[in-house]
Amino acid sequence: MKWSIRIGRLFGIPLFIHITFFMFLAWVGFESYRNGQSAGDALSSVLFMCTLFACVVLHELGHALTARRYGIPTKDITLLPIGGVARLERMPDDPKQELWVAIAGPAVNVAIAAVLILATKLSSTMFSIGDASVNGFLGGSFLSRVIVVNLFLVLFNMLPAFPMDGGRVLRALLATRLPYPRATHIAATVGQCMALLFGLIGLTHYGSPMLIFIALFVWIGAAQESGMVQMRHSLSGIPVSRAMVTEFHVLRPEDTMADAVELTLKGTQRDFPVLDGERVAGVLLQSVMLATLGRQGAHVRVADVMQTDFQLVESSEMLDAVYRRLAEHRVTIAPVSFQGRLVGLVTMDNIGEFLAIQGALGRPRRVF
Ligand code: ZN
């Protein structure tokens, strides 16, 4: 995620903090200063925020480590003011696995609260006349606040709305009986209704700007999840060969930037596969061509600047898998081969066009 600072690694998963989280901390500090609190109170506030931060990290680790059990790695964990985000490489396709992964986060907070409740019960019976100042700072009130905040995390995350865990739980439960896109659509609609409700409450004088902010966040999250699933559904079960570009130009390794410029101006193709005999040796991207022209001139050979670590797609691969692969590697073009021969190109633009056409065909036709 942009604007995130890496602070370390946990169980092999990089941990990032988003810059807005620090802004949130500063806001908390400013608020306690404005309310004229003492230095001790301020320190207690900071300590409390750090504890809260640790609880959120543990929550995200709950998701990440459960996903790992199903063979799904986590790219990173990022902390935002509204909570954490564990970016899994992919979501489990099996609804039961999604259910466990989603529930594991809030379960961690339930466990933390339960342990703390037990600990405070034990300590209050053991040190009933304990030192009052120590009790005030780290004991009773501090621990009870940590317990309350963990219970709040459970309630907030279990709201049945995307992108909260509760939204995923709801989708997974629905998906055991309904097709996946339908289940997602219902869960997303519930989420957006809830966002609307939050927004309305936020606008009344009982509400706060934070509630409106959460409403917006939930609304966007629900729309995104729904859109992504619909798209994956439209791409699934369709081989690449049905959506690839079959009319295209190729370059040879010994060609120069001047040849690439000529081909670019002649047609609409921007990126070119480079063929060495029958074999695909690389890809020349327009951005690379332009940079090379500016820096070194038109005489530079294609072989010297082409990308050799490109994604090669088999014509029998399914579009949804290819789309996922291209998005993961942040590439916009991939050569398609059949039995070792170059037969086409697949680009992100291309997939977009394919989706638009599928959408148009799938829409009910008007009858006049
Ligand atoms: Zn969660």
Side-chain angles (χ1 to χ4, degrees):
M1 208 175 281
K2 268 186 181 174
W3 301 102
S4 300
I5 296 158
R6 187 179 161 146
I7 57 159
R9 211 173 239 282
L10 275 171
F11 294 92
I13 304 164
L15 181 63
F16 289 88
I17 298 185
H18 198 260
I19 203 107
T20 51
F21 189 87
F22 293 108
M23 283 157 67
F24 179 65
L25 277 187
W27 179 70
V28 167
F30 177 72
E31 278 296 294
S32 77
Y33 166 78
R34 217 176 52 165
N35 295 337
Q37 289 180 338
S38 71
D41 287 337
L43 187 64
S44 174
S45 288
V46 170
L47 206 65
F48 179 71
M49 288 313 296
C50 291
T51 312
L52 174 59
F53 163 94
C55 291
V56 173
V57 172
L58 290 174
H59 171 111
E60 294 309 323
L61 271 180
H63 292 306
L65 297 182
T66 311
R68 184 180 284 179
R69 273 195 51 198
Y70 298 123
I72 301 170
T74 301
K75 277 186 207 143
D76 50 48
I77 293 175
T78 306
L79 287 166
L80 298 157
I82 25 123
V85 180
R87 274 202 313 154
L88 307 187
E89 292 267 332
R90 60 185 172 85
M91 279 317 280
D93 291 325
D94 179 2
K96 259 193 218 128
Q97 292 185 0
E98 182 176 25
L99 184 69
W100 287 119
V101 172
I103 243 168
V108 169
N109 299 112
V110 170
I112 294 171
V115 168
L116 291 181
I117 288 171
L118 214 72
T120 46
K121 280 262 182 303
L122 281 180
S123 66
S124 69
T125 50
M126 280 163 73
F127 309 104
S128 48
I129 342 162
D131 183 79
S133 63
V134 171
N135 225 27
F137 187 62
L138 273 179
S141 78
F142 186 89
L143 282 186
S144 57
R145 270 160 73 206
V146 176
I147 292 168
V148 167
V149 103
N150 271 285
L151 293 178
F152 171 78
L153 279 176
V154 174
L155 285 180
F156 180 67
N157 279 291
M158 285 308 282
L159 287 176
F162 277 117
M164 257 77 92
D165 300 330
R168 299 196 179 282
V169 170
L170 177 63
R171 195 244 312 263
L173 289 175
L174 289 169
T176 54
R177 283 159 190 272
L178 296 170
Y180 201 68
R182 179 101 192 95
T184 305
H185 182 72
I186 295 173
T189 308
V190 172
Q192 291 193 316
C193 288
M194 198 159 285
L196 213 59
L197 191 71
F198 285 169
L200 287 176
I201 297 173
L203 288 175
T204 66
H205 75 258
Y206 297 108
S208 73
M210 193 67 184
L211 207 55
I212 299 175
F213 180 64
I214 290 171
L216 260 174
F217 170 75
V218 171
W219 181 275
I220 294 169
Q224 262 178 358
E225 181 71 27
S226 184
M228 196 139 77
V229 169
Q230 300 296 355
M231 189 190 69
R232 256 176 42 197
H233 181 67
S234 331
L235 292 178
S236 72
I238 294 164
V240 167
S241 56
R242 288 221 7 230
M244 66 189 181
V245 180
T246 50
E247 286 175 17
F248 57 91
H249 294 286
V250 299
L251 287 166
R252 299 275 161 192
E254 62 275 13
D255 286 339
T256 62
M257 289 303 109
D259 298 314
V261 168
E262 203 189 316
L263 281 184
T264 303
L265 292 177
K266 241 201 272 181
T268 52
Q269 198 176 336
R270 281 180 301 190
D271 310 308
F272 298 89
V274 183
L275 274 188
D276 186 7
E278 289 276 275
R279 193 180 64 88
V280 185
V283 171
L284 181 71
L285 299 177
Q286 189 175 60
S287 54
V288 173
M289 180 192 81
L290 289 174
T292 309
L293 281 174
R295 242 181 286 139
Q296 293 160 281
H299 61 277
V300 178
R301 279 170 9 117
V302 169
D304 297 332
V305 292
M306 69 185 184
Q307 254 180 307
T308 49
D309 60 336
F310 55 91
Q311 296 290 315
L312 189 64
V313 173
E314 279 297 317
S315 64
S316 57
E317 274 184 72
M318 294 299 146
L319 264 181
D320 56 333
V322 170
Y323 176 82
R324 236 185 274 178
R325 189 140 70 92
L326 296 192
E328 230 166 69
H329 291 88
R330 292 167 193 272
V331 296
T332 51
I333 181 170
V336 182
S337 80
F338 176 65
Q339 295 178 343
R341 276 187 39 242
L342 177 69
V343 291
L345 295 178
V346 62
T347 67
M348 281 303 209
D349 288 348
N350 209 197
I351 294 178
E353 276 170 3
F354 181 82
L355 279 173
I357 293 167
Q358 290 290 99
L361 287 173
R363 248 172 251 145
R365 260 157 241 150
R366 265 189 247 175
V367 182
F368 290 102

Coordinates of all heavy atoms in Angstrom, one line a residue, residues 59-60 63 84 101-102 104-106 109 157 163-165, ligand 1:
H59 N -4.7 -9.7 15.8 CA -5.9 -10.0 15.0 C -5.6 -10.3 13.6 O -6.0 -11.4 13.1 CB -6.8 -8.7 15.1 CG -8.0 -8.8 14.2 ND1 -9.3 -8.9 14.7 CD2 -8.1 -8.8 12.8 CE1 -10.1 -8.9 13.7 NE2 -9.5 -8.8 12.5
E60 N -4.7 -9.5 12.9 CA -4.3 -9.8 11.5 C -3.5 -11.0 11.4 O -3.7 -11.8 10.4 CB -3.6 -8.6 11.0 CG -4.4 -7.3 10.9 CD -5.7 -7.5 10.1 OE1 -5.8 -8.3 9.2 OE2 -6.7 -6.9 10.6
H63 N -5.7 -14.0 11.0 CA -6.1 -14.3 9.6 C -5.0 -14.9 8.9 O -5.2 -15.9 8.2 CB -6.5 -12.9 8.9 CG -7.7 -12.3 9.4 ND1 -8.9 -12.9 9.5 CD2 -7.9 -11.0 9.9 CE1 -9.8 -12.0 10.0 NE2 -9.2 -10.9 10.2
G84 N -6.5 -3.1 10.8 CA -5.4 -3.7 10.0 C -5.9 -4.3 8.8 O -7.1 -4.6 8.6
V101 N -10.8 -18.5 8.0 CA -9.8 -17.4 7.8 C -10.4 -16.1 8.4 O -9.8 -15.3 9.1 CB -9.3 -17.2 6.4 CG1 -8.5 -16.0 6.2 CG2 -8.5 -18.4 5.9
A102 N -11.7 -15.8 8.0 CA -12.3 -14.6 8.4 C -12.6 -14.5 9.9 O -12.4 -13.5 10.6 CB -13.7 -14.4 7.7
A104 N -11.0 -16.1 12.3 CA -9.8 -16.3 13.1 C -9.3 -15.0 13.7 O -8.8 -14.9 14.9 CB -8.6 -16.9 12.3
G105 N -9.5 -13.8 13.0 CA -9.1 -12.5 13.5 C -9.9 -12.1 14.7 O -9.3 -11.9 15.8
P106 N -11.2 -12.0 14.6 CA -12.0 -11.7 15.8 C -11.8 -12.7 17.0 O -11.8 -12.3 18.1 CB -13.4 -11.7 15.3 CG -13.3 -11.4 13.9 CD -12.0 -12.0 13.4
N109 N -9.1 -11.6 19.3 CA -9.5 -10.6 20.3 C -10.4 -11.2 21.4 O -10.3 -10.7 22.5 CB -10.2 -9.5 19.5 CG -9.3 -8.8 18.5 OD1 -9.5 -8.9 17.3 ND2 -8.3 -8.2 19.0
N157 N -15.6 -5.7 13.8 CA -15.2 -6.5 12.7 C -16.2 -7.6 12.3 O -16.2 -8.1 11.2 CB -13.9 -7.2 13.1 CG -12.7 -6.3 12.8 OD1 -12.4 -6.0 11.7 ND2 -12.1 -5.9 13.9
P163 N -15.8 -4.3 3.9 CA -14.7 -5.3 3.9 C -14.4 -5.8 5.3 O -13.3 -6.3 5.5 CB -13.6 -4.4 3.4 CG -13.8 -3.1 3.9 CD -15.3 -2.9 4.0
M164 N -15.4 -5.8 6.2 CA -15.2 -6.3 7.5 C -15.2 -7.8 7.5 O -15.8 -8.4 6.6 CB -16.2 -5.8 8.5 CG -15.7 -4.7 9.4 SD -15.6 -3.2 8.5 CE -17.2 -2.6 8.9
D165 N -14.6 -8.4 8.5 CA -14.6 -9.9 8.6 C -16.0 -10.5 8.6 O -16.3 -11.5 8.0 CB -13.9 -10.3 9.9 CG -12.5 -9.8 9.9 OD1 -11.9 -9.7 8.8 OD2 -12.0 -9.6 11.0
Ligands
ZN1 ZN -10.1 -9.0 10.6

